[in-house]
Amino acid sequence: VNIVSILGFIILGGIVVNNGIVLIDYINVLRGEGKNLYDSVVEASATRLRPILMTALTTVLGLVPLALGLGEGAELQSPLAVTVMGGLLVSTFLTLIVIPTVYLMSEEFFTRFTKKEPPII
């Protein structure tokens, strides 16, 4: 772990948060149209699967030359690329599985214990 790989973690955090926002925003749009909770989560996950995968794959493929460390001075930047690539591959699948699950659980929690409909974020 060095400064360059820590910078990679910061970049990774921005990309992952963006993917989560894209998914949650579309869930809220569908709920605002009157769809129920479960159908909104399923439809949003299916609809936003392609943009999330495209973002992840283009970033990973764009970082392959940097990760290989070809050329002068590239060995200094290689940890950044490896960090972002590995983290993005793992976090993409977590975004598509964990975020919808946590959203469903939190909405059910709010509905059960507040006895009113939670606000749409």
Side-chain angles (χ1 to χ4, degrees):
V1 177
N2 57 19
I3 293 295
V4 179
S5 63
I6 292 172
L7 182 63
F9 279 118
I10 294 169
I11 294 169
L12 178 64
I15 295 170
V16 171
V17 167
N18 183 42
N19 287 342
I21 289 171
V22 165
L23 184 60
I24 296 295
D25 180 55
Y26 196 61
I27 292 171
N28 289 334
V29 167
L30 292 175
R31 293 201 59 214
E33 293 175 356
K35 295 190 178 186
N36 69 12
L37 176 63
Y38 183 75
D39 290 339
S40 297
V41 170
V42 170
E43 184 177 340
S45 297
T47 303
R48 295 298 177 198
L49 171 69
R50 187 168 142 193
I52 290 172
L53 287 178
M54 285 173 41
T55 301
L57 290 177
T58 55
T59 304
V60 167
L61 292 176
L63 289 173
V64 166
L66 189 60
L68 293 176
L70 304 175
E72 293 182 34
E75 62 274 352
L76 182 65
Q77 300 293 329
S78 182
L80 178 134
V82 171
T83 301
V84 173
M85 289 171 64
L88 198 54
L89 290 174
V90 171
S91 68
T92 298
F93 294 108
L94 291 177
T95 299
L96 296 171
I97 295 169
V98 173
I99 288 180
T101 304
V102 170
Y103 188 89
L104 281 172
M105 289 172 32
S106 66
E107 291 294 315
E108 290 172 1
F109 174 80
F110 284 124
T111 304
R112 182 175 296 156
F113 289 109
T114 61
K115 297 184 182 176
K116 63 179 183 177
E117 199 60 31
I120 295 177
I121 301 172

